[in-house]
């Protein structure tokens, strides 16, 4: 289903939470779809089952999944426009990148031009 | 559950363990790390009922371990240096264990034959070090123990075998809630396998924590500031380590990530990187904190 970066410094449980969130927000995992059991996932990824259990509990706490006793974990109804967190992060990154570009001498007009080009590319040029 | 309460052990005049308490929950994989000669093997041998402690209490499933047949038949200990009867093949050992362990699972033994691809009719002592380890795991996992105690278990196995063995251990933990206690120097390896970590040093347990808590509690910060470094920074924080590398400062700090970011931001850093530490780094800085640190010796 997905791969974890075992060499990353980021704790595995955090990586799991993030990966699953992305899958849920992007609707790869649909509402009410059952998540793989702790047992299956831990064997597939060779990850400690308690770590996976912990990630599931955290996702449940954040409202991304719900659990039915004896049945497993399921994707909760998530408001898909709830990308606020990700957007805030992107904004932060943009500021960082733009600051560097301006510092290195890129002109405001050039940046605006890039933005319109990307806009055309993504939206297919609709006006 | 494996529990040790205030264990002490002396060998002649030297104290191997002093007042050590550990707690391994059911279904958990517990990593025991420590400096050389810290007492890891001694502790494991006491928990497995090979040695008897001078003081304290060792309980597995709330029962005393030493000379307790019921507990021992549910426990498998793979020691650092393996022991097999001379002239015995894997098959001979299997027949021997089958008679001793009530939970011996013949079906599993046959399935695992494919996993390990060893010749069961070859004498174990004629096998290579790595193959002997494989034989030990093959036999151990066929016993389907509730408690698995491993001393430097993956030493001498090739990368593919390591992964295979780890996967087998994880399966048993996930499916039967097997409780596992592992000692190792290979911290990278413990990092993905364990949920709890204990650090031993000179016979004392200096840290026992959930791995994720251990990691989220300590941070590596690289920062550069305009002009001189603000003097007051991190005065109220627990700074384990501090270093200047040119104009970049490196801090190892214990505390909450948000609080640290907040404090640094006040001084408007030009560069700010916050990284989680690897288990290896945590080990090094924890040890540094108690005077066992890396000092490069120039010859």
């Amino acid at each position: 289903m997905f791969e974890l970066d075992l060499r990353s410094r980021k704790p595995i449980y955090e990586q799991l939470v993030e990966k699953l969130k992305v899958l849920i927000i992007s609707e790869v995992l649909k509402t009410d779809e059952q998540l793989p059991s702790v047992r299956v996932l831990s064997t597939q990824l060779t990850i400690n089952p308690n770590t996976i259990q912990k990630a599931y509990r955290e996702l449940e706490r954040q409202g991304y999944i719900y659990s039915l006793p004896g049945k497993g974990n399921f994707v909760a109804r998530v408001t898909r426009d709830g990308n606020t967190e990700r957007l805030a992060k992107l904004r932060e990154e943009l500021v960082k990148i733009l600051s560097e570009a301006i510092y290195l001498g890129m002109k405001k007009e050039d940046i605006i031009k890039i933005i319109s080009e990307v806009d055309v590319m993504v939206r297919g040029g609709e006006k | 559950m494996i529990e040790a309460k205030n264990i002490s052990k002396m060998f002649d005049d030297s104290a191997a363990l002093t007042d050590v308490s550990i707690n391994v929950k059911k279904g958990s994989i517990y990593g025991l790390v420590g400096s050389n000669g810290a007492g890891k093997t001694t502790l494991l041998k006491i928990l497995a009922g090979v040695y008897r402690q001078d003081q304290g209490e060792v309980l597995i499933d709330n029962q005393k371990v030493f000379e307790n047949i019921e507990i021992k038949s549910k426990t498998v200990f793979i020691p650092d240096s393996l022991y097999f009867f001379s002239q015995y093949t894997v098959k001979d050992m299997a027949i021997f264990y089958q008679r001793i362990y009530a939970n011996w699972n013949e079906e599993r033994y046959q399935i695992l034959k494919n996993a390990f691809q060893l010749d069961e009719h070859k004498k174990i002592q004629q096998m290579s070090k790595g193959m002997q380890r494989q034989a030990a795991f093959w036999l151990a996992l066929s016993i389907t123990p509730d408690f698995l105690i491993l001393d430097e278990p993956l030493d001498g196995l090739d990368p593919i075998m390591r992964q295979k063995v780890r996967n087998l251990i994880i399966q048993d933990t996930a499916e039967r809630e097997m409780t596992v206690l592992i000692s190792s120097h290979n911290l990278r390896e413990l990092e993905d396998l364990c949920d709890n970590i204990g650090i031993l040093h000179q016979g004392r347990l200096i840290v026992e924590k959930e791995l994720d808590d251990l990691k989220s509690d300590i941070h590596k910060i690289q920062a550069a500031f305009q002009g001189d470094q603000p003097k007051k920074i991190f005065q109220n924080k627990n700074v384990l380590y501090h270093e200047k590398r040119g104009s970049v400062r490196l801090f190892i700090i214990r505390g909450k990530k948000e609080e640290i970011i907040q404090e640094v931001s006040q001084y408007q850093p030009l560069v700010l990187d916050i990284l989680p530490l690897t288990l290896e780094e945590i080990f090094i800085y924890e040890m540094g904190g108690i005077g066992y640190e890396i000092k490069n010796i120039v010859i």
Side-chain angles (χ1 to χ4, degrees):
Chain A
M1 194 158 76
F2 50 79
E3 288 290 320
L4 297 174
D5 182 3
L6 297 180
R7 313 195 69 180
S8 158
R9 288 168 173 268
K10 215 178 233 170
I12 290 168
Y13 127 90
E14 265 177 42
Q15 285 189 48
L16 266 170
V17 169
E18 272 173 30
K19 290 254 156 92
L20 285 166
K21 260 194 211 171
V22 169
L23 290 178
I24 290 170
I25 290 172
S26 60
E27 291 190 63
V28 175
L29 292 170
K30 307 232 164 25
T31 305
D32 295 328
E33 188 175 333
Q34 186 167 11
L35 289 155
S37 73
V38 170
R39 204 163 46 89
V40 167
L41 202 57
S42 72
T43 311
Q44 247 173 32
L45 300 170
T46 314
I47 296 292
N48 189 315
N50 299 310
T51 308
I52 291 170
Q53 187 61 52
K54 202 169 156 194
Y56 278 4
R57 273 206 306 270
E58 177 63 21
L59 284 167
E60 188 169 4
R61 202 184 61 78
Q62 296 185 14
Y64 284 87
I65 65 173
Y66 62 93
S67 68
L68 296 177
K71 290 201 168 150
N73 297 287
F74 299 85
V75 178
R77 189 175 302 281
V78 191
T79 39
R80 311 283 173 184
D81 54 20
N83 287 349
T84 3
E85 213 174 302
R86 175 80 186 134
L87 281 174
K89 208 174 229 173
L90 281 175
R91 193 193 169 86
E92 215 171 273
E93 278 171 38
L94 264 177
V95 169
K96 222 187 232 175
I97 294 168
L98 289 175
S99 320
E100 191 181 348
I102 292 171
Y103 178 78
L104 291 174
M106 194 183 277
K107 292 211 174 56
K108 192 176 158 189
E109 295 74 48
D110 294 336
I111 295 173
I112 292 173
K113 204 174 142 216
I114 294 172
I115 294 172
S116 8
E117 277 170 16
V118 172
D119 192 51
V120 168
M121 216 159 67
V122 174
R123 293 174 198 260
E126 58 186 283
K127 197 76 217 222
Chain B
M1 194 158 94
I2 305 176
E3 235 178 327
K5 292 180 188 163
N6 312 99
I7 298 287
S8 296
K9 176 81 184 166
M10 301 275 286
F11 288 115
D12 296 328
D13 291 340
S14 65
L17 293 174
T18 316
D19 201 19
V20 173
S21 299
I22 75 164
N23 209 324
V24 188
K25 287 188 220 90
K26 186 172 197 266
S28 144
I29 304 179
Y30 187 107
L32 187 65
V33 303
S35 44
N36 289 131
K40 296 189 294 289
T41 299
T42 308
L43 179 57
L44 293 187
K45 284 190 173 167
I46 288 173
L47 294 175
V50 178
Y51 291 159
R52 197 208 307 243
Q53 68 278 13
D54 296 339
Q55 274 161 38
E57 209 175 17
V58 183
L59 301 173
I60 292 186
D61 261 359
N62 291 318
Q63 292 187 47
K64 291 208 168 111
V65 175
F66 197 76
E67 310 222 314
N68 181 337
I69 293 172
E70 193 196 326
I71 290 299
K72 286 202 172 181
S73 68
K74 292 192 242 171
T75 309
V76 168
F77 173 47
I78 302 186
D80 190 13
S81 42
L82 300 171
Y83 178 79
F84 298 102
F85 298 132
S86 63
Q87 306 295 326
Y88 265 48
T89 64
V90 180
K91 185 81 206 165
D92 295 335
M93 282 310 284
I95 292 166
F96 175 73
Y97 282 140
Q98 203 171 357
R99 284 207 301 259
I100 292 181
Y101 288 99
N103 290 337
W104 177 268
N105 186 331
E106 183 64 23
E107 195 187 335
R108 216 165 211 244
Y109 174 78
Q110 297 299 339
I111 295 171
L112 289 174
K113 191 192 282 185
N114 295 323
F116 289 109
Q117 301 192 337
L118 293 175
D119 177 3
E120 63 178 335
H121 299 296
K122 188 167 172 180
K123 284 180 188 156
I124 300 178
Q125 289 189 337
Q126 287 172 2
M127 291 180 179
S128 77
K129 182 182 167 199
M131 287 162 88
Q132 291 192 8
R133 281 248 156 230
Q134 291 182 34
F137 272 109
W138 181 6
L139 293 163
L141 292 170
S142 302
I143 291 167
T144 60
D146 289 346
F147 304 96
L148 186 59
I149 300 175
L150 307 169
D151 197 357
E152 295 283 347
L154 302 170
D155 250 23
L157 294 180
D158 69 52
I160 293 178
M161 257 316 145
R162 272 165 194 251
Q163 186 65 8
K164 218 178 242 182
V165 167
R166 291 154 54 100
N167 198 284
L168 290 169
I169 292 174
I170 281 174
Q171 280 187 48
D172 263 9
T173 313
E175 279 169 34
R176 313 189 289 110
E177 287 206 298
M178 179 171 72
T179 307
V180 187
L181 178 58
I182 298 182
S183 88
S184 178
H185 282 114
N186 192 337
L187 302 185
R188 262 283 334 118
E189 206 149 66
L190 290 183
E191 213 159 354
D192 341 316
L193 197 61
C194 298
D195 42 46
N196 280 275
I197 293 287
I199 301 180
L200 265 183
H201 181 58
Q202 292 179 345
R204 290 170 195 274
L205 193 72
I206 56 170
V207 176
E208 182 182 52
K209 255 192 181 167
E210 268 189 41
L211 181 56
D212 288 325
D213 292 347
L214 200 60
K215 282 187 144 189
S216 59
D217 190 43
I218 186 166
H219 306 273
K220 183 178 197 166
I221 291 130
Q222 283 180 309
F225 301 91
Q226 188 108 48
D228 282 341
Q229 180 191 334
K231 285 212 173 64
K232 283 185 184 161
I233 195 163
F234 296 139
Q235 255 180 356
N236 307 319
K237 291 268 184 306
N238 188 350
V239 180
L240 292 180
Y241 183 78
H242 172 220
E243 189 188 307
K244 285 184 194 176
R245 287 180 184 163
S247 54
V248 178
R249 314 297 152 115
L250 174 78
F251 300 91
I252 305 291
I253 298 183
R254 221 194 279 267
K256 289 230 163 58
K257 191 175 174 185
E258 295 75 31
E259 286 172 18
I260 293 169
I261 294 177
Q262 206 186 358
E263 175 152 6
V264 187
S265 317
Q266 286 172 21
Y267 299 98
Q268 294 168 343
L270 301 172
V271 179
L272 174 61
D273 265 331
I274 298 199
L275 299 169
L277 266 69
T278 61
L279 183 54
E280 196 159 272
E281 287 169 321
I282 293 174
F283 181 80
I284 290 170
Y285 293 115
E286 288 283 355
M287 286 298 184
I290 52 167
Y292 185 74
E293 54 198 327
I294 303 173
K295 287 191 188 113
N296 292 328
I297 294 171
V298 182
I299 304 173

